[in-house]
């Protein structure tokens, strides 16, 4: 009797590919008890694996699923699962490429903001699992001499993410995160969303006009002076004092140094 193949052998014989490709048949090495055929058993196993991963995506992207409806979302998720099998046993890492997949999914083109909503939800999950690092203390910024403040450079918190959209993506996301009825809204309005985790809870914040350019510059490693200039160029209503207050309140950064 042949020994049972290990996981590497199963990959070599096409097991993993067969699980995620319904057009492929059962690998020849897979048999039932006493060498009986296992086609039906394998089909059940294949379906259970795919459905389990679809359920993972449903849990990770509740607002996205609510926008599309459960039937549409599960059909889209199945296509993603079959095209992108897991590469890690850690399920919270699965689905990182889902927003990109949504953006290219032709049946979802009627919802052009959908991928950005998915990006917010994926960033939320990443922030939730990010390393526990204390956010920047106001005293650290206050310790920098005023004449060197413009040269200050900040280190983003591992939980920090910035989503910039040409749609009212925060309003759409926020309206679809609870069970309340979603009313009509103006979607074709640019919005930027900052995702942070200053403590135990993830915070999702809509940024004022100009603040998105300010935060984007700081996250990219530019100086405070350069970030302020970017904010002023982005919006006449940009206020540097308010932006710095938001910088500290959101916990988006961990350290600051003056070059």
């Amino acid at each position: 009797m042949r020994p049972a193949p290990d996981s590497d052998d199963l990959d070599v014989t096409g097991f993993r590919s067969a699980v995620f490709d319904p057009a492929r048949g059962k690998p020849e090495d897979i048999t039932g008890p006493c060498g009986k055929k296992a086609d039906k058993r394998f089909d059940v196993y294949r379906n259970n694996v795919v459905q389990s991963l679809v359920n993972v995506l449903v849990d990770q992207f509740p607002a996205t699923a609510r926008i599309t409806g459960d039937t549409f979302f599960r059909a889209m998720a199945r296509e993603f699962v079959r095209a992108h099998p897991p590469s890690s046993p850690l399920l919270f890492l699965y689905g990182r490429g889902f927003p990109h997949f949504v953006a290219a999914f032709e049946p979802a083109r009627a919802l052009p903001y959908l991928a950005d909503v998915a990006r917010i939800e994926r960033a939320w999950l990443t922030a939730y699992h990010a390393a526990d690092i204390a956010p920047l203390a106001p005293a650290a910024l206050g310790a920098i001499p005023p004449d060197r403040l413009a040269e200050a450079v900040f280190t983003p918190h591992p939980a920090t993410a910035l989503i910039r959209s040409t749609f009212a993506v925060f309003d759409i996301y926020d309206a679809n995160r609870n069970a309340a009825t979603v009313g009509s809204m103006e979607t074709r309005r640019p919005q930027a969303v900052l995702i942070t985790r200053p403590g135990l809870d993830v915070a999702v914040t809509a940024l004022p006009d100009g603040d998105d350019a300010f935060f984007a510059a700081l996250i990219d490693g530019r100086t405070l002076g350069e970030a302020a200039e970017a904010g002023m160029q982005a919006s006449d209503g940009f206020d540097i004092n308010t932006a710095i207050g938001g910088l500290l309140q959101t916990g988006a950064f961990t350290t600051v140094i003056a070059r």
Side-chain angles (χ1 to χ4, degrees), residues 90-206:
L90 302 176
L91 284 180
F92 79 88
L93 295 177
Y94 190 60
R96 286 177 293 182
F98 187 65
H100 181 74
F101 178 86
V102 172
F105 191 61
E106 187 63 34
R109 290 294 175 88
L111 300 169
Y113 48 78
L114 192 66
D116 286 339
V117 174
R119 289 185 180 102
I120 294 175
E121 297 198 282
R122 182 63 227 186
W124 188 102
L125 185 64
T126 299
Y128 182 82
H129 289 283
D132 294 324
I133 300 177
L136 180 70
L141 188 60
I144 298 176
D147 61 339
R148 298 184 62 195
L149 196 57
E151 299 304 312
V153 177
F154 296 77
T155 302
H157 194 286
T160 297
L162 177 64
I163 310 295
R164 304 167 85 178
S165 177
T166 56
F167 297 93
V169 67
F170 174 82
D171 293 345
I172 299 168
Y173 161 84
D174 190 55
N176 285 280
R177 286 286 290 186
N178 54 62
T181 300
V182 178
S184 61
M185 67 177 69
E186 175 53 54
T187 62
R188 293 188 177 277
R189 176 169 53 86
Q191 274 188 324
V193 178
L194 184 70
I195 297 93
T196 56
R197 204 195 72 211
L200 296 178
D201 297 322
V202 177
V204 180
T205 307

Side-chain angles (χ1 to χ4, degrees), residues 1-13:
M1 183 175 66
R2 287 180 304 177
D6 62 24
S7 59
D8 290 336
D9 291 332
L10 290 175
D11 284 338
V12 170
T13 56

